Amino acid sequence: YQGASMLLPRFHIDDVVDAFPVHGVNGCWAVIAAGIFGAPAEGIGGNGLIHGGDQLGIQIVGALIIIAWSGGLSLAILFPLRILGMLRLSDHFQDKGADVMEHS
């Protein structure tokens, strides 16, 4: 989480609530960790690498599919909004504050 959170400003990504590091990065780690640490003895279908299993490859493929699906849908929705200028508030609107402009 911390590394992803610190990279956001470097890539000029405006994510004030750290949604991507919390949900995206930690979600990918959770999917991959199941392939590393999953224990068959727990009775929940784990077959992790440290227990001699071969689930890690499947978990990595699953994470890549989730990334492709989420990224593709996000691009399909957000790119047209950016082209139309509807993705961000105007500078004037931001300078005044969204609460003041919308609720007063």
Side-chain angles (χ1 to χ4, degrees):
Y1 160 78
Q2 188 64 36
S5 181
M6 292 170 63
L7 283 176
L8 291 178
R10 184 172 301 233
F11 289 112
H12 304 288
I13 297 173
D14 185 16
D15 186 2
V16 295
V17 295
D18 277 352
F20 174 73
V22 168
H23 299 287
V25 175
N26 289 336
C28 283
W29 165 246
V31 170
I32 293 170
I36 297 171
F37 302 110
E42 296 293 322
I44 55 174
N47 191 16
L49 187 66
I50 63 172
H51 297 287
D54 57 356
Q55 190 174 346
L56 181 60
I58 298 299
Q59 295 299 115
I60 291 172
V61 169
L64 293 174
I65 290 170
I66 292 168
I67 291 168
W69 179 262
S70 301
L73 286 178
S74 295
L75 186 65
I77 294 168
L78 297 176
F79 185 71
L81 290 175
R82 183 175 182 184
I83 296 299
L84 295 171
M86 299 171 62
L87 190 59
R88 293 187 62 101
L89 299 173
S90 69
D91 288 338
H92 172 71
F93 206 93
Q94 289 184 52
D95 289 341
K96 288 280 193 182
D99 288 337
V100 171
M101 297 292 285
E102 284 288 325
H103 304 294
S104 60

